[in-house]
């Protein structure tokens, strides 16, 4: 007797509901999608209303171009979009949406109503659906509606020009998802945060937020700085500096805070890429680095930064929720941001003594915050290009996750390379709290004396102190945690070994030796924070063009490699 097959293709409602889970995580993700649709429709004013944290109701009204009677039901079908037509269009996305999934996904987990009218039509259209709508029935406009039932059939209705999308009873049919939501107050906060992000990105568009019948945010069209004042506070706006940088068709502009103010977390930092909110640990790091020595350790600058880049150099289509974005010219973007920030901060002197640089000058990549925000659906796209540490293995290797796959880092080789790069780039001197006296043998002194200038280039400040004694006033900031006497003993040995070489070779040799001596060793335990900091530093300093020495600092296991090893391809 032949067995009945146990595998079957899912009924569309089930498939839709599963797929919807990827897009619609919580009320804030609904708001994000609907606001993006309004922006894509050219709206000049967008109004958002939520009730009971968005679970009872979310409504987004806009004055954009609206949808025709024929288009309105199509908008609800999966993979139905007016924004991309051919695979080529994916190469240069200029709209916020393009996957054609948002409305169908929302409809799969809520009761959805669209009321809309285009400028040319006298009468508007209403469509209501409950549960997802198969494409076939969306296209079949021959049906006539049966009087307001939620069947996806368009009905004539009075409507202003523009679109109003109402989402009721979110997750009524997915109780599991409901359980993961936070309190209505918290969900409302997340909705507000999402809206604030878009309000900051689009200051010339009016935004409004109504929560449980009370107006929580009214943002009329304004200048960027006025909008910052409204969203982040007037006292913040008063302390902002404008930044502006362009290189080719890359532009970085916006506002950053004077070192007079700072926050204890990064929640005041907003980055936009071609009008799309993005999150990126590396961008945060590039923003924060020039503040080192100007802002106390543990304080973070505020910033609203707009990056404009040829859309062909951006790949938005790497994540189902579009949570990640890939840049073709990451380094150029990071450099432009640093350049803009350094320039704006130049009138503010560094105060090394007050805010010592060195190991703990800035904290690492804010991946946890980023992941948390992604989880909470606060807009947020992550620029790929960083790596998240997953842990240490054998007290020697770090394992990290990147958008491409896995990276395994040799902690000593990596740290050595980071330190070497920093030393070669003329490290800043780190002044010792009290100068340290070195009493050397005659032979050692003879080695050290001619090398003082070369060592000064690396960030040492050492002066003769009579006879064979020297006074060490500063050591390179990247080596700040080393014992000056031990470090110099090692370097003097190295100077002796290299004494017959030319100056350049000696400089390089000494920098490498110093890096090797100061780097963490195989077998050293690293805290999670130390692991992440090392990985971030490696990602920032590593470049295939400059990577000098023999042993690799890391190996990557890309998706292709993993698939090959597991015989998936
Ligand atoms: P996407 O935004 O990826 O195209 P959506 O499911 O979000 O997919 O929307 C489907 C289509 O519905 C859009 O391409 C657009 O044509 C139309 N649409 C959605 N929202 C609006 C709106 N507020 N105003 C005008 N058209 C809209
Ligand atoms: Mg959309």
């Amino acid at each position: 007797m032949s067995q009945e097959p146990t595998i079957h293709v899912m009924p569309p409602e089930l498939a839709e509901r599963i797929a919807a889970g990827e897009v619609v995580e919580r009320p804030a993700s609904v708001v994000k999608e609907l606001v993006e649709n309004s922006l894509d429709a050219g709206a000049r004013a967008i109004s958002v209303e939520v009730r009971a944290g968005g679970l009872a109701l979310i409504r987004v009204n806009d004055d954009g171009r609206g949808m025709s009677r024929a288009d309105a039901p199509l908008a609800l079908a999966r993979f139905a979009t007016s924004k991309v037509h051919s695979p080529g269009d994916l190469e240069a996305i200029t709209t916020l949406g393009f996957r054609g999934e948002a409305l169908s996904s929302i409809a799969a987990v809520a009761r959805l109503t669209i009321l809309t009218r285009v400028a040319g039509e006298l009468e508007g259209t209403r469509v209501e659906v409950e549960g997802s709508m198969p494409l076939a029935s969306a296209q079949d406009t021959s049906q006539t509606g049966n009087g307001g039932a939620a069947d996806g059939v368009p009905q004539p209705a009075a409507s202003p020009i523009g679109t109003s999308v109402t989402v009721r009873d979110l997750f009524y049919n997915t109780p599991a998802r409901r359980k993961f939501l936070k309190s209505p107050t918290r969900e409302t906060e997340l909705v507000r945060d999402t809206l604030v992000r878009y309000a900051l990105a689009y200051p010339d568009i009016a935004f409004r937020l109504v929560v449980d019948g009370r107006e929580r945010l009214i943002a009329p069209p304004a200048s960027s700085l006025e909008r910052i004042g409204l969203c982040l506070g007037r006292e913040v706006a008063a302390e902002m500096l404008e930044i502006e940088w362009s290189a080719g068709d890359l532009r970085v502009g916006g506002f950053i805070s004077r070192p007079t103010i700072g926050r204890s977390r990064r929640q005041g930092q907003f980055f936009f890429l071609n009008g799309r909110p993005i999150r990126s640990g590396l961008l945060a790091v590039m923003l924060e680095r020039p503040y080192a020595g100007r802002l106390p350790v543990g304080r973070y600058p505020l910033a609203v930064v707009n990056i404009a880049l040829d859309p062909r150099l951006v790949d938005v289509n790497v994540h189902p929720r579009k949570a990640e974005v890939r840049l073709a010219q990451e380094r150029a973007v990071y450099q432009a941001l640093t350049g803009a920030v350094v320039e704006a901060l130049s009138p503010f002197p560094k105060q090394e003594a007050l805010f010592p640089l060195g190991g703990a000058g800035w904290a690492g990549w804010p991946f946890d915050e980023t992941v948390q925000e992604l989880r909470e659906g606060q807009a947020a796209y992550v620029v790929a290009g960083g790596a998240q540490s997953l842990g240490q293995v054998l007290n020697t290797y770090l394992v990290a996750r990147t958008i491409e796959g896995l990276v395994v880092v040799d902690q000593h080789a990596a740290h050595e390379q980071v330190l070497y790069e920093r030393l070669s780039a003329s490290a800043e001197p780190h002044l010792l709290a009290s100068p340290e006296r070195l009493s050397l043998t005659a032979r050692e002194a003879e080695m050290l004396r001619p090398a003082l200038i070369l060592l000064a280039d690396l960030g040492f400040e050492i002066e003769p102190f009579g006879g064979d004694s020297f006074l060490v006033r500063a050591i390179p900031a990247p080596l700040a945690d080393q014992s000056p006497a031990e470090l110099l003993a090692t370097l003097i040995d190295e100077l002796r070994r290299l004494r017959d070489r030319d100056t350049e070779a000696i400089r390089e040799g000494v920098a490498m030796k110093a890096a090797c001596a100061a780097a963490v060793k195989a077998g050293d335990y690293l805290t999670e924070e130390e692991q992440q900091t090392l990985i971030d530093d490696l990602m920032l300093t590593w470049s295939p063009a400059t990577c000098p020495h023999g042993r690799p600092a890391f190996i990557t296991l890309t998706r292709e490699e993993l698939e090959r090893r597991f015989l998936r391809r």
Side-chain angles (χ1 to χ4, degrees):
M1 199 181 101
S2 76
Q3 265 190 304
E4 285 291 305
T6 53
I7 299 178
H8 58 94
V9 173
M10 292 181 199
E13 311 87 68
L14 181 57
E16 282 289 346
R17 208 179 288 178
I18 290 171
E22 283 182 350
V23 179
V24 188
E25 269 203 315
R26 59 181 350 119
S29 33
V30 172
V31 169
K32 164 186 176 288
E33 294 295 339
L34 297 182
V35 167
E36 288 192 351
N37 279 347
S38 298
L39 289 166
D40 282 343
R44 309 303 307 162
I46 298 173
S47 170
V48 177
E49 184 183 349
V50 295
R51 275 190 224 146
L55 287 184
L57 175 124
I58 299 172
R59 177 177 289 141
V60 175
N61 291 342
D62 68 51
D63 60 353
R65 68 179 72 88
M67 285 173 267
S68 67
R69 178 84 37 95
D71 273 338
L74 284 173
L76 293 163
R78 187 129 198 257
F79 300 130
T81 181
S82 56
K83 299 171 194 175
V84 292
H85 300 272
S86 65
D89 291 346
L90 285 180
E91 301 299 318
I93 302 273
T94 52
T95 48
L96 292 164
F98 60 90
R99 296 176 60 99
E101 293 186 294
L103 290 179
S104 67
S105 297
I106 297 167
V109 292
R111 304 180 218 279
L112 190 146
T113 306
I114 297 179
L115 184 63
T116 185
R117 178 159 74 95
V118 294
E121 288 178 359
L122 287 177
E123 205 177 38
T125 300
R126 177 199 303 277
V127 193
E128 271 178 59
V129 276
E130 201 170 288
S132 61
M133 200 173 48
L135 185 59
S137 82
Q139 276 168 335
D140 179 8
T141 46
S142 64
Q143 282 184 59
T144 48
N146 51 4
D151 52 6
V153 177
Q155 308 283 341
S159 166
I161 292 171
T163 302
S164 166
V165 177
T166 306
V167 177
R168 287 196 179 82
D169 304 325
L170 184 62
F171 302 134
Y172 74 97
N173 54 0
T174 51
R177 181 54 60 92
R178 260 193 127 116
K179 284 197 201 101
F180 285 99
L181 296 178
K182 308 231 166 95
S183 69
T185 317
R186 178 71 188 137
E187 293 297 339
T188 301
E189 281 314 305
L190 295 174
V191 166
R192 192 192 131 92
D193 290 350
T194 298
L195 203 63
V196 159
R197 243 171 242 275
Y198 289 93
L200 287 169
Y202 297 88
D204 54 336
I205 292 176
F207 287 87
R208 181 165 167 265
L209 174 65
V210 177
V211 173
D212 296 320
R214 296 236 307 272
E215 217 153 33
R216 283 280 306 273
L217 179 80
I218 314 176
S223 71
S224 299
L225 201 54
E226 287 165 342
R227 185 57 64 86
I228 289 173
L230 190 98
C231 294
L232 305 181
R234 282 234 289 266
E235 58 311 333
V236 168
E239 294 296 313
M240 291 303 238
L241 299 164
E242 189 156 13
I243 58 169
E244 171 73 67
W245 190 271
S246 53
D249 49 12
L250 165 66
R251 260 211 56 214
V252 172
F255 291 87
I256 61 172
S257 56
R258 291 197 173 89
T260 42
I261 57 170
R263 292 263 165 102
S264 60
R265 295 201 313 125
R266 292 188 173 86
Q267 80 275 50
Q269 298 178 1
F270 300 85
F271 296 98
F272 305 105
L273 176 64
N274 293 344
R276 189 185 288 284
I278 57 170
R279 277 266 142 196
S280 156
L282 287 181
L283 284 177
V285 166
M286 297 325 255
L287 165 73
E288 287 162 15
R289 276 204 167 163
Y291 282 86
R294 295 178 164 113
L295 202 59
V297 169
R299 304 291 289 169
Y300 299 98
L302 295 98
V304 176
V305 176
N306 300 301
I307 302 167
L309 190 65
D310 183 334
R312 283 171 302 185
L313 299 177
V314 183
D315 187 357
V316 196
N317 193 23
V318 284
H319 189 282
R321 226 172 317 126
K322 297 172 286 179
E324 281 168 348
V325 179
R326 226 182 287 200
L327 300 182
Q329 295 183 345
E330 281 184 332
R331 259 162 201 278
V333 172
Y334 297 139
Q335 275 161 14
L337 176 58
T338 304
V341 175
V342 166
E343 190 174 86
L345 291 182
S346 61
F348 300 88
K350 288 196 179 190
Q351 294 170 290
E352 318 281 349
L354 266 182
F355 314 130
L357 291 173
W362 47 275
W365 152 280
F367 210 97
D368 286 347
E369 274 174 39
T370 309
V371 169
Q372 185 60 26
E373 286 181 4
L374 280 176
R375 203 172 283 139
E376 295 184 346
Q378 286 171 262
Y381 302 85
V382 177
V383 173
Q388 179 202 15
S389 174
L390 300 175
Q392 196 184 17
V393 180
L394 304 170
N395 279 0
T396 299
Y397 305 102
L398 308 181
V399 180
R401 168 167 63 201
T402 69
I403 188 169
E404 311 274 331
L406 272 184
V407 182
V408 184
V409 177
D410 177 318
Q411 65 188 38
H412 175 71
H415 197 198
E416 187 178 52
Q417 179 165 331
V418 167
L419 292 175
Y420 173 78
E421 292 294 334
R422 292 201 179 149
L423 290 171
S424 319
S426 313
E428 302 196 38
H430 165 77
L431 284 181
L432 302 179
S434 59
E436 192 159 327
R437 194 172 149 184
L438 292 181
S439 301
L440 302 181
T441 65
R443 255 196 92 184
E444 287 170 335
E446 192 190 319
M447 286 294 144
L448 183 58
R449 220 168 268 122
L452 290 182
I453 294 179
L454 177 156
L455 288 171
D457 278 354
L458 299 178
F460 286 94
E461 284 174 18
I462 306 173
E463 46 191 71
F465 201 59
D468 294 330
S469 295
F470 294 81
L471 206 58
V472 185
R473 294 192 175 281
I475 61 176
L479 311 179
D481 55 347
Q482 299 293 300
S483 139
E486 281 176 35
L487 187 59
L488 282 158
T490 311
L491 295 186
I492 290 169
D493 272 351
E494 188 68 5
L495 286 168
R496 180 178 306 126
R497 206 174 64 79
L498 297 170
R499 63 182 173 272
D500 298 330
R501 312 281 291 277
D502 62 60
T503 321
E504 213 23 67
I506 297 178
R507 189 201 314 275
E508 195 182 303
V510 167
M512 263 159 108
K513 191 71 194 179
C516 178
V520 298
K521 305 285 177 289
D524 286 351
Y525 166 78
L526 299 186
T527 64
E528 275 173 29
E529 202 179 325
E530 289 167 337
Q531 296 166 22
Q532 189 64 57
T533 303
L534 177 51
I535 286 170
D536 296 341
D537 289 350
L538 180 66
M539 297 296 151
L540 284 172
T541 50
W542 188 82
S543 103
T546 61
C547 180
H549 11 240
R551 266 184 348 103
F554 63 91
I555 52 177
T556 44
L557 287 176
T558 57
R559 178 199 300 273
E560 289 73 30
E561 176 74 6
L562 291 168
E563 286 175 352
R564 208 174 50 73
R565 300 280 282 267
F566 288 108
L567 307 181
R568 286 174 170 273
R569 47 160 75 205

